[in-house]
Structures are given as C-alpha cells and as structure tokens.
C-alpha cells in the first residue's frame, strides 16, 4: 500500500521514461525505453515527499537509500527538467526558505559553505581557486584555461587603465584582483565574509609581492559606504546569490554610493527566468539562504537607480561545463573527501555538483554577466571592445 502510493506520486515525472526498483518490485515510469534506473533501498515517506520532494530525495541519496544505476549527472539531467512537478510546503519550511536577511545570519550562511576549508576546495577547483563559471573559448580549453579566460574577459569589459581603483565584492580567493593588479597595475580592494578566503588571499598577495596594490577585508557589502572610499570600477562575481530577495535594492544602492561618476560595474551571477524562493534541499545543505535573482528584476532595479546597462551576456552552457569539470576533479579525489568528512558529505557534494550542472543544461537557471555604468559614458567604444 505504502509503496504503491510512492509509485503513484512518482508517475507524474513521466516526461522521460525511467525505472524504479525496490526490494521486491520493478516499475517503469513513462513510456518508451527507460533512460536510467533508480534503486530504492528505502522508500521515502509520502509526508516527506509532499513537504519537500527535493529534500526527501536528496537526503535519501545522501544516506545511501537511493542508488543510481548509471551516470548520476545523466539521470539528474533527465529528471530535473521536471522540477515544476516537485512538491514544496512553504509554510512548513518557512524558516528554511525565507531566512533572516540580517548581517549576522548572512555571515553565518556564507561561512557554512566557504569556510569548509581551503584544503577541501583545492582538491577539485583548478589552480586559480576560482569558484564560479569559467569561459571555454575553445573546445580544447582546460578548466584552468576557462577560468583565466573568464577573468580576462571580465577585466577587458571593465576597460581598466593603470592607476584605477577596483573593488571586488565577494572576492573569493582573490585570483581576479591579482590578475588585474599584475596586468593593469590597478589598486584593488577585495571584500569577503569568509575567513578562509581572506586568509588564502592574503597569502597570495604576499607571494605575488602585490602588497602595494591589493588589500582584502572581512566586510559586509552593506558596510562599504561607511568606508567613504570611491572606486573607478566595481566587480561582483557569484556573490549576488547570497544577498537575498529583499536586499537587492540595498546591494545596488551600496554599489552606486561607492562608484565614481562614469564608473563601470560588472555583475556576474546565477540568474533565473522567474522569481523563485529557491530549492529547499540546496538551502538546507549547500547554500543556506541562497536565492537566485531573475534577470528582469535586477535590470529593473538597476534602471530605477539610473544604472545604464551596457552589455548583457549569458554563460549558461559554460557553467554546465564548469560544473562537470569540477565533478570530474571531485570524483578523482573522492576518497580524500570521505577521509576529510565522511561518505554522506561526499554523496551530498556530488549530488550538488551534478544537480547544478543538470539545471544549467535544462535552462532552469542561467548565468548572467551584466555591465552597468552610472553615467551615459559617451566616450566608451561604440562596439564591444573585448
């Protein structure tokens, strides 16, 4: 009876045929030749599935109650194209889906992800330690090539000149600012909420002998205006997703207040077609408080604040490939991850990487790179200069 209720629930995910196997039975979902099989050692409860299909299935995979027969990414790529059929009880999950937007809460959320340890991230990121979408200019590009391409492309879009000041909001481990300082001789300031990132960035500044050009601070973007500093250029890569809907206006206002007249601001972030509060499993286990803004809401807010949009570019397929490369590296070092944490963590992380790759592949999410200016800037080139 209980198992049949579960199968009845799963039958709505019939866009792509697949097989469900339990201890005693095999069921086919959808018509045609099955594209993958899922073995359930333990069937999730209907209550859990209805509260959050994402959490119920995600936890089942993390706990080893689900085994995918075949490639995890391929299975997720087939299945996650039907995310609209997932159940989410927003009332029961209110605190998870709509957390506080306070500085204290957001610092804790950022730390929970980015302070897992630099040794962990070194295992599966490339040597640049770039934890954002790469740019694969050629099919033969490695992950390292793609991350260097991405940074070069951003710096070219910012139209940098020697002596300019550049602020990186959510600077990560600092590769972008290091490249900007070395290639353009700018003065850069990076801000982050991660102790581990700040520590590593400071080490890199020292190694590259860039102390006279770069600095990094543990600082919330909302405190930038208090610094009374002004910048010729501002960049933010993969940080807006942590700001939270309700704070986008404040974020853009803070940028506006520290950007010099005629300055350029490049915003690189995961975007969505529509406004959505976010996936419950991702919020519980990977990015607490994370929300993906739509392209239209950011463009509208920017316009209301008299930011002029110079350029918009989608890098969605580049992020799909970036995530697959990360997962390839992760699998190569999986045993080390298990030793650092445990098997449950390793299954959680591979599910995260493969699920995100699948959602980019399916167009559920995108990567938008937008170039703004706070003036008409009629002296800039009339065509793309990069």
């Amino acid at each position: 009876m209980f198992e049949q209720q579960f199968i009845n629930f799963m039958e709505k995910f019939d866009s792509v045929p697949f097989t469900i196997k339990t201890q005693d039975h095999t069921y086919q979902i959808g018509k045609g030749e099955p594209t993958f099989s899922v073995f359930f050692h333990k069937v999730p409860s209907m209550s859990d599935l209805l509260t959050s299909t994402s959490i119920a299935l995600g936890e089942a995979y993390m706990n080893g109650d689900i085994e995918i027969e075949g490639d995890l990414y391929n299975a997720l790529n087939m299945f996650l194209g039907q995310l609209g059929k997932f159940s989410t009880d927003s009332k029961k999950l209110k605190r998870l889906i709509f957390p506080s937007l306070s500085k204290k809460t957001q610092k804790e959320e950022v730390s929970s992800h980015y302070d897992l340890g630099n040794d962990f991230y070194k295992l599966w990121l490339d040597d640049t330690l770039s934890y954002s979408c790469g740019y694969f200019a050629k099919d033969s590009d490695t992950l390292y090539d793609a991350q260097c391409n991405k940074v070069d492309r951003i710096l070219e879009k910012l139209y940098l000149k020697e002596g300019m000041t550049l602020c990186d909001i959510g600077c990560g481990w600092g590769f972008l600012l290091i490249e900007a300082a070395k290639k353009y001789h700018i003065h850069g300031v990076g801000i982050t909420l991660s102790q581990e990132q700040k520590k590593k960035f400071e080490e890199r500044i020292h190694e590259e002998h860039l102390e006279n050009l770069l600095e990094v601070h543990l600082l919330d973007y909302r405190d930038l205006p208090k610094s009374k500093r002004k910048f010729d250029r501002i960049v933010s890569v993969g940080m807006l997703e942590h700001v939270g809907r309700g704070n986008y206006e404040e974020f853009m206002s803070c940028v506006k207040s520290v950007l010099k007249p005629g300055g350029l601001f490049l915003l690189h972030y995961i975007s969505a077609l529509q406004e959505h509060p976010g996936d419950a499993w991702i919020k519980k286990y990977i990015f607490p408080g994370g929300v993906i803004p739509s392209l239209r809401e950011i463009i509208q807010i920017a316009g209301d604040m008299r930011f002029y949009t110079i350029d918009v570019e989608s890098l969605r397929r580049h992020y799909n490939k970036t995530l697959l490369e990360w997962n390839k590296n992760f699998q190569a070092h999986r045993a080390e991850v298990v030793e650092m944490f445990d098997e449950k963590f390793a299954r959680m992380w591979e599910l995260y990487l493969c699920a995100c790759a699948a959602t980019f592949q399916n167009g559920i999410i995108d990567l938008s790179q937008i170039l703004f200016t706070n003036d008409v800037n009629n002296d800039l080139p009339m065509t793309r200069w990069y």
Side-chain angles (χ1 to χ4, degrees), residues 110-128:
V110 168
S111 181
S112 72
H113 187 93
Y114 297 96
D115 287 337
L116 286 170
N118 292 332
D119 289 342
F120 166 64
Y121 285 103
K122 285 177 186 176
L123 289 177
W124 53 277
L125 296 179
D126 68 288
D127 288 342
T128 71

PDB file of all heavy atoms in Angstrom, residues 110-128:
ATOM      1  N   VAL A 110      27.244  32.276   4.764  1.00  0.00           N
ATOM      2  CA  VAL A 110      28.402  32.275   3.875  1.00  0.00           C
ATOM      3  C   VAL A 110      29.519  31.411   4.459  1.00  0.00           C
ATOM      4  O   VAL A 110      30.146  30.607   3.770  1.00  0.00           O
ATOM      5  CB  VAL A 110      28.902  33.712   3.627  1.00  0.00           C
ATOM      6  CG1 VAL A 110      30.272  33.719   2.963  1.00  0.00           C
ATOM      7  CG2 VAL A 110      27.905  34.472   2.751  1.00  0.00           C
ATOM      8  N   SER A 111      29.763  31.569   5.756  1.00  0.00           N
ATOM      9  CA  SER A 111      30.826  30.813   6.421  1.00  0.00           C
ATOM     10  C   SER A 111      30.569  29.308   6.358  1.00  0.00           C
ATOM     11  O   SER A 111      31.500  28.517   6.189  1.00  0.00           O
ATOM     12  CB  SER A 111      30.952  31.264   7.876  1.00  0.00           C
ATOM     13  OG  SER A 111      31.974  30.562   8.533  1.00  0.00           O
ATOM     14  N   SER A 112      29.296  28.904   6.461  1.00  0.00           N
ATOM     15  CA  SER A 112      28.967  27.474   6.466  1.00  0.00           C
ATOM     16  C   SER A 112      29.387  26.795   5.174  1.00  0.00           C
ATOM     17  O   SER A 112      29.655  25.591   5.150  1.00  0.00           O
ATOM     18  CB  SER A 112      27.460  27.282   6.687  1.00  0.00           C
ATOM     19  OG  SER A 112      26.724  27.653   5.534  1.00  0.00           O
ATOM     20  N   HIS A 113      29.464  27.544   4.088  1.00  0.00           N
ATOM     21  CA  HIS A 113      29.847  26.974   2.796  1.00  0.00           C
ATOM     22  C   HIS A 113      31.315  27.220   2.469  1.00  0.00           C
ATOM     23  O   HIS A 113      32.064  26.290   2.166  1.00  0.00           O
ATOM     24  CB  HIS A 113      28.961  27.561   1.689  1.00  0.00           C
ATOM     25  CG  HIS A 113      29.163  26.912   0.354  1.00  0.00           C
ATOM     26  ND1 HIS A 113      28.396  25.858  -0.081  1.00  0.00           N
ATOM     27  CD2 HIS A 113      30.046  27.168  -0.641  1.00  0.00           C
ATOM     28  CE1 HIS A 113      28.805  25.483  -1.286  1.00  0.00           C
ATOM     29  NE2 HIS A 113      29.810  26.269  -1.655  1.00  0.00           N
ATOM     30  N   TYR A 114      31.740  28.463   2.548  1.00  0.00           N
ATOM     31  CA  TYR A 114      33.074  28.828   2.061  1.00  0.00           C
ATOM     32  C   TYR A 114      34.186  28.580   3.074  1.00  0.00           C
ATOM     33  O   TYR A 114      35.363  28.603   2.709  1.00  0.00           O
ATOM     34  CB  TYR A 114      33.084  30.291   1.612  1.00  0.00           C
ATOM     35  CG  TYR A 114      32.160  30.533   0.447  1.00  0.00           C
ATOM     36  CD1 TYR A 114      30.866  30.999   0.638  1.00  0.00           C
ATOM     37  CD2 TYR A 114      32.573  30.260  -0.858  1.00  0.00           C
ATOM     38  CE1 TYR A 114      30.009  31.205  -0.436  1.00  0.00           C
ATOM     39  CE2 TYR A 114      31.720  30.459  -1.935  1.00  0.00           C
ATOM     40  CZ  TYR A 114      30.442  30.927  -1.715  1.00  0.00           C
ATOM     41  OH  TYR A 114      29.593  31.111  -2.777  1.00  0.00           O
ATOM     42  N   ASP A 115      33.818  28.323   4.325  1.00  0.00           N
ATOM     43  CA  ASP A 115      34.840  28.026   5.334  1.00  0.00           C
ATOM     44  C   ASP A 115      34.947  26.535   5.629  1.00  0.00           C
ATOM     45  O   ASP A 115      35.388  26.136   6.713  1.00  0.00           O
ATOM     46  CB  ASP A 115      34.559  28.813   6.626  1.00  0.00           C
ATOM     47  CG  ASP A 115      34.876  30.299   6.474  1.00  0.00           C
ATOM     48  OD1 ASP A 115      35.677  30.640   5.583  1.00  0.00           O
ATOM     49  OD2 ASP A 115      34.318  31.113   7.229  1.00  0.00           O
ATOM     50  N   LEU A 116      34.551  25.709   4.663  1.00  0.00           N
ATOM     51  CA  LEU A 116      34.725  24.264   4.820  1.00  0.00           C
ATOM     52  C   LEU A 116      36.200  23.886   4.850  1.00  0.00           C
ATOM     53  O   LEU A 116      36.556  22.794   5.294  1.00  0.00           O
ATOM     54  CB  LEU A 116      34.030  23.520   3.669  1.00  0.00           C
ATOM     55  CG  LEU A 116      32.505  23.479   3.729  1.00  0.00           C
ATOM     56  CD1 LEU A 116      31.941  22.933   2.423  1.00  0.00           C
ATOM     57  CD2 LEU A 116      32.030  22.639   4.911  1.00  0.00           C
ATOM     58  N   GLY A 117      37.040  24.791   4.370  1.00  0.00           N
ATOM     59  CA  GLY A 117      38.488  24.562   4.409  1.00  0.00           C
ATOM     60  C   GLY A 117      39.115  24.726   3.045  1.00  0.00           C
ATOM     61  O   GLY A 117      38.625  24.170   2.051  1.00  0.00           O
ATOM     62  N   ASN A 118      40.195  25.508   2.982  1.00  0.00           N
ATOM     63  CA  ASN A 118      40.879  25.716   1.706  1.00  0.00           C
ATOM     64  C   ASN A 118      41.427  24.412   1.136  1.00  0.00           C
ATOM     65  O   ASN A 118      41.481  24.227  -0.081  1.00  0.00           O
ATOM     66  CB  ASN A 118      42.010  26.732   1.876  1.00  0.00           C
ATOM     67  CG  ASN A 118      41.488  28.128   2.162  1.00  0.00           C
ATOM     68  OD1 ASN A 118      40.382  28.474   1.758  1.00  0.00           O
ATOM     69  ND2 ASN A 118      42.270  28.933   2.854  1.00  0.00           N
ATOM     70  N   ASP A 119      41.833  23.482   2.015  1.00  0.00           N
ATOM     71  CA  ASP A 119      42.350  22.200   1.538  1.00  0.00           C
ATOM     72  C   ASP A 119      41.275  21.413   0.789  1.00  0.00           C
ATOM     73  O   ASP A 119      41.579  20.687  -0.169  1.00  0.00           O
ATOM     74  CB  ASP A 119      42.878  21.368   2.710  1.00  0.00           C
ATOM     75  CG  ASP A 119      44.170  21.930   3.283  1.00  0.00           C
ATOM     76  OD1 ASP A 119      44.827  22.721   2.581  1.00  0.00           O
ATOM     77  OD2 ASP A 119      44.508  21.593   4.428  1.00  0.00           O
ATOM     78  N   PHE A 120      40.024  21.556   1.223  1.00  0.00           N
ATOM     79  CA  PHE A 120      38.923  20.879   0.538  1.00  0.00           C
ATOM     80  C   PHE A 120      38.731  21.455  -0.861  1.00  0.00           C
ATOM     81  O   PHE A 120      38.658  20.715  -1.849  1.00  0.00           O
ATOM     82  CB  PHE A 120      37.635  21.018   1.351  1.00  0.00           C
ATOM     83  CG  PHE A 120      36.380  20.644   0.602  1.00  0.00           C
ATOM     84  CD1 PHE A 120      36.188  19.345   0.160  1.00  0.00           C
ATOM     85  CD2 PHE A 120      35.401  21.594   0.326  1.00  0.00           C
ATOM     86  CE1 PHE A 120      35.031  18.989  -0.534  1.00  0.00           C
ATOM     87  CE2 PHE A 120      34.251  21.252  -0.367  1.00  0.00           C
ATOM     88  CZ  PHE A 120      34.066  19.945  -0.794  1.00  0.00           C
ATOM     89  N   TYR A 121      38.669  22.778  -0.979  1.00  0.00           N
ATOM     90  CA  TYR A 121      38.425  23.395  -2.280  1.00  0.00           C
ATOM     91  C   TYR A 121      39.595  23.196  -3.243  1.00  0.00           C
ATOM     92  O   TYR A 121      39.400  23.095  -4.456  1.00  0.00           O
ATOM     93  CB  TYR A 121      38.101  24.880  -2.098  1.00  0.00           C
ATOM     94  CG  TYR A 121      36.707  25.107  -1.571  1.00  0.00           C
ATOM     95  CD1 TYR A 121      36.479  25.432  -0.232  1.00  0.00           C
ATOM     96  CD2 TYR A 121      35.603  24.959  -2.394  1.00  0.00           C
ATOM     97  CE1 TYR A 121      35.199  25.610   0.254  1.00  0.00           C
ATOM     98  CE2 TYR A 121      34.310  25.136  -1.910  1.00  0.00           C
ATOM     99  CZ  TYR A 121      34.119  25.467  -0.582  1.00  0.00           C
ATOM    100  OH  TYR A 121      32.838  25.629  -0.105  1.00  0.00           O
ATOM    101  N   LYS A 122      40.806  23.116  -2.695  1.00  0.00           N
ATOM    102  CA  LYS A 122      41.975  22.874  -3.552  1.00  0.00           C
ATOM    103  C   LYS A 122      41.912  21.526  -4.253  1.00  0.00           C
ATOM    104  O   LYS A 122      42.506  21.341  -5.311  1.00  0.00           O
ATOM    105  CB  LYS A 122      43.262  22.930  -2.714  1.00  0.00           C
ATOM    106  CG  LYS A 122      43.694  24.324  -2.306  1.00  0.00           C
ATOM    107  CD  LYS A 122      44.944  24.223  -1.427  1.00  0.00           C
ATOM    108  CE  LYS A 122      45.349  25.575  -0.873  1.00  0.00           C
ATOM    109  NZ  LYS A 122      46.500  25.444   0.056  1.00  0.00           N
ATOM    110  N   LEU A 123      41.186  20.571  -3.667  1.00  0.00           N
ATOM    111  CA  LEU A 123      41.107  19.235  -4.243  1.00  0.00           C
ATOM    112  C   LEU A 123      40.446  19.229  -5.615  1.00  0.00           C
ATOM    113  O   LEU A 123      40.834  18.456  -6.492  1.00  0.00           O
ATOM    114  CB  LEU A 123      40.332  18.295  -3.315  1.00  0.00           C
ATOM    115  CG  LEU A 123      41.000  17.865  -2.011  1.00  0.00           C
ATOM    116  CD1 LEU A 123      40.048  16.993  -1.206  1.00  0.00           C
ATOM    117  CD2 LEU A 123      42.293  17.098  -2.296  1.00  0.00           C
ATOM    118  N   TRP A 124      39.426  20.065  -5.802  1.00  0.00           N
ATOM    119  CA  TRP A 124      38.627  19.935  -7.034  1.00  0.00           C
ATOM    120  C   TRP A 124      38.467  21.224  -7.841  1.00  0.00           C
ATOM    121  O   TRP A 124      37.988  21.174  -8.981  1.00  0.00           O
ATOM    122  CB  TRP A 124      37.256  19.333  -6.703  1.00  0.00           C
ATOM    123  CG  TRP A 124      36.521  20.046  -5.620  1.00  0.00           C
ATOM    124  CD1 TRP A 124      36.670  19.876  -4.274  1.00  0.00           C
ATOM    125  CD2 TRP A 124      35.524  21.048  -5.779  1.00  0.00           C
ATOM    126  NE1 TRP A 124      35.832  20.726  -3.584  1.00  0.00           N
ATOM    127  CE2 TRP A 124      35.109  21.440  -4.492  1.00  0.00           C
ATOM    128  CE3 TRP A 124      34.929  21.645  -6.895  1.00  0.00           C
ATOM    129  CZ2 TRP A 124      34.131  22.407  -4.277  1.00  0.00           C
ATOM    130  CZ3 TRP A 124      33.947  22.607  -6.692  1.00  0.00           C
ATOM    131  CH2 TRP A 124      33.564  22.977  -5.386  1.00  0.00           C
ATOM    132  N   LEU A 125      38.880  22.373  -7.286  1.00  0.00           N
ATOM    133  CA  LEU A 125      38.961  23.572  -8.109  1.00  0.00           C
ATOM    134  C   LEU A 125      40.292  23.539  -8.864  1.00  0.00           C
ATOM    135  O   LEU A 125      41.160  22.728  -8.571  1.00  0.00           O
ATOM    136  CB  LEU A 125      38.872  24.832  -7.231  1.00  0.00           C
ATOM    137  CG  LEU A 125      37.556  25.053  -6.478  1.00  0.00           C
ATOM    138  CD1 LEU A 125      37.645  26.320  -5.632  1.00  0.00           C
ATOM    139  CD2 LEU A 125      36.363  25.125  -7.426  1.00  0.00           C
ATOM    140  N   ASP A 126      40.471  24.429  -9.818  1.00  0.00           N
ATOM    141  CA  ASP A 126      41.743  24.482 -10.535  1.00  0.00           C
ATOM    142  C   ASP A 126      42.731  25.342  -9.742  1.00  0.00           C
ATOM    143  O   ASP A 126      42.411  25.839  -8.658  1.00  0.00           O
ATOM    144  CB  ASP A 126      41.525  25.054 -11.943  1.00  0.00           C
ATOM    145  CG  ASP A 126      41.128  26.510 -11.888  1.00  0.00           C
ATOM    146  OD1 ASP A 126      39.983  26.809 -11.485  1.00  0.00           O
ATOM    147  OD2 ASP A 126      41.975  27.357 -12.215  1.00  0.00           O
ATOM    148  N   ASP A 127      43.913  25.553 -10.292  1.00  0.00           N
ATOM    149  CA  ASP A 127      44.966  26.272  -9.564  1.00  0.00           C
ATOM    150  C   ASP A 127      44.644  27.733  -9.309  1.00  0.00           C
ATOM    151  O   ASP A 127      45.254  28.356  -8.429  1.00  0.00           O
ATOM    152  CB  ASP A 127      46.290  26.181 -10.334  1.00  0.00           C
ATOM    153  CG  ASP A 127      46.894  24.787 -10.278  1.00  0.00           C
ATOM    154  OD1 ASP A 127      46.488  24.009  -9.392  1.00  0.00           O
ATOM    155  OD2 ASP A 127      47.751  24.482 -11.123  1.00  0.00           O
ATOM    156  N   THR A 128      43.698  28.297 -10.056  1.00  0.00           N
ATOM    157  CA  THR A 128      43.324  29.703  -9.804  1.00  0.00           C
ATOM    158  C   THR A 128      42.455  29.826  -8.554  1.00  0.00           C
ATOM    159  O   THR A 128      42.259  30.920  -8.041  1.00  0.00           O
ATOM    160  CB  THR A 128      42.552  30.302 -10.992  1.00  0.00           C
ATOM    161  OG1 THR A 128      41.228  29.728 -11.058  1.00  0.00           O
ATOM    162  CG2 THR A 128      43.283  30.085 -12.311  1.00  0.00           C
TER     163      THR A 128
END
